[in-house]
Amino acid sequence: MRILTNFDRFPDAWVSETGQSGSSETAKTLEDFLNGARRADLLMINCDVGVTLRLCAAFLMRPWRRKPIIAVDFVLRKPRTLSARISVWIKRLLLSRVDLFIHYFNDLSGYEKYYGIGRNRSLFVPFKPNIRYRFDPSSTNEGKYLLCLGRSMRDYDTFFDAVAGLPWPAAIPAPDFPELRRNESRFTRSLDRLPPNVTLLEDNGTEESMFRILGSAKIVVLPIRKASLCASGVSTYLNAMLMRKCVVLTEGPGVSDVLTGQALICASEDPALLASTIRKAWEDDGLRQRLEESGYRYALSLGGEPELLQRIIDASCRFLAQRGGNRPRTP
């Protein structure tokens, strides 16, 4: 089987857990996928909603050229504006042409409600810490502050309200406000109105900067907005776990539907509850250390990019075998 994909570093030759073997070819643009589809048995698109929708539209107009489509890490947002709610119906029609969605979360309630993506066309695959094989966990120190970081659907307002009443130092990387807005994070305070115990950390966007920021944290706190429909912050919390950091999260897809004892989880958009959860983690050394070890073992078990790609290959082959081969599905 030949897979045409936009994944970086996808194996040129592969073998699935079922013994299915195959090869791959790289495509990046819509034109690449349309041209390469003739030589491929399967089109696999990673984290590119635009290309996926346009490819579905192209096959809708030229069904004789269609090949099975698998969309991986397909990030969709809750429609908020009138135009977004209208466009949902067009997206539902186009996305009905996708044969399989591979998610890094289990809770599909939002995807099914708004976009018609349910369990009949979905598989869960655990993600991986992005820093695996690039960081030595033995170099981790205990840390000194509460850290909130990330851009996707983060709720910095709740973090600020929670830590304002706590006696311990807190920190955030210097914010990139355009990116925060683009990723629907909530950060409504001006920088001169942050709680006095919150420090702005220099962040130049490099891997070394991320190691430094995470490495100096005692507890990593990731409040996610209630409106999130998919996994937000998974790569961040897995990186923190691999660095043996205690993680405090708010519930939602990719968190409460995936983790089982590797982090403290509380309801979203509740500053008082978040503050009490942080306090529990900070003051109870035994609890914090158990979470650090449990989170580390979980993150370590997931491997890195090669292991993730193998899980995706295995899931794809299982799905196609259960469906009866590589024939395109007719919705």
Side-chain angles (χ1 to χ4, degrees), residues 114-135:
Y114 294 107
Y115 298 98
I117 300 172
R119 298 201 177 278
N120 62 321
R121 291 189 293 144
S122 294
L123 287 176
F124 165 71
V125 165
F127 196 51
K128 45 80 177 174
N130 290 333
I131 63 173
R132 183 67 191 276
Y133 308 128
R134 293 181 285 165
F135 171 78

Side-chain angles (χ1 to χ4, degrees), residues 49 53 74-80 84-85 87-96 101 108-118 121 229:
V49 174
L53 290 171
F74 200 76
V75 177
L76 294 168
R77 301 297 189 199
K78 182 177 180 179
R80 297 179 177 278
R85 289 193 290 270
S87 72
V88 159
W89 298 103
I90 300 172
K91 289 179 179 178
R92 284 179 72 109
L93 171 64
L94 295 176
L95 294 177
S96 71
F101 293 89
L108 299 174
S109 55
Y111 271 35
E112 189 155 27
K113 175 181 178 180
Y114 294 107
Y115 298 98
I117 300 172
R121 291 189 293 144
L229 300 181

Side-chain angles (χ1 to χ4, degrees), residues 131 134-135 139 145 149 201-216 243:
I131 63 173
R134 293 181 285 165
F135 171 78
S139 64
Y145 50 64
L149 73 166
L201 303 174
E202 183 181 350
D203 180 15
N204 60 13
T206 64
E207 192 173 82
E208 290 73 20
S209 182
M210 191 222 6
F211 289 158
R212 172 179 52 80
I213 290 170
L214 272 174
S216 296
M243 296 179 74

Side-chain angles (χ1 to χ4, degrees), residues 270-287:
D270 187 332
L273 184 56
L274 181 60
S276 67
T277 306
I278 293 170
R279 182 179 292 277
K280 183 188 303 183
W282 190 286
E283 294 181 339
D284 189 333
D285 294 343
L287 171 64

Side-chain angles (χ1 to χ4, degrees), residues 124-186:
F124 165 71
V125 165
F127 196 51
K128 45 80 177 174
N130 290 333
I131 63 173
R132 183 67 191 276
Y133 308 128
R134 293 181 285 165
F135 171 78
D136 177 11
S138 66
S139 64
T140 300
N141 57 58
E142 184 182 5
K144 56 189 177 184
Y145 50 64
L146 301 164
L147 174 67
C148 183
L149 73 166
R151 297 172 178 174
S152 180
M153 298 297 287
R154 298 299 193 275
D155 186 2
Y156 283 93
D157 286 1
T158 292
F159 175 75
F160 295 143
D161 290 342
V163 301
L166 296 175
W168 307 298
I172 62 169
D176 181 337
F177 286 110
E179 278 297 302
L180 290 172
R181 286 191 293 271
R182 189 176 70 83
N183 287 280
E184 298 190 24
S185 291
R186 190 168 66 163

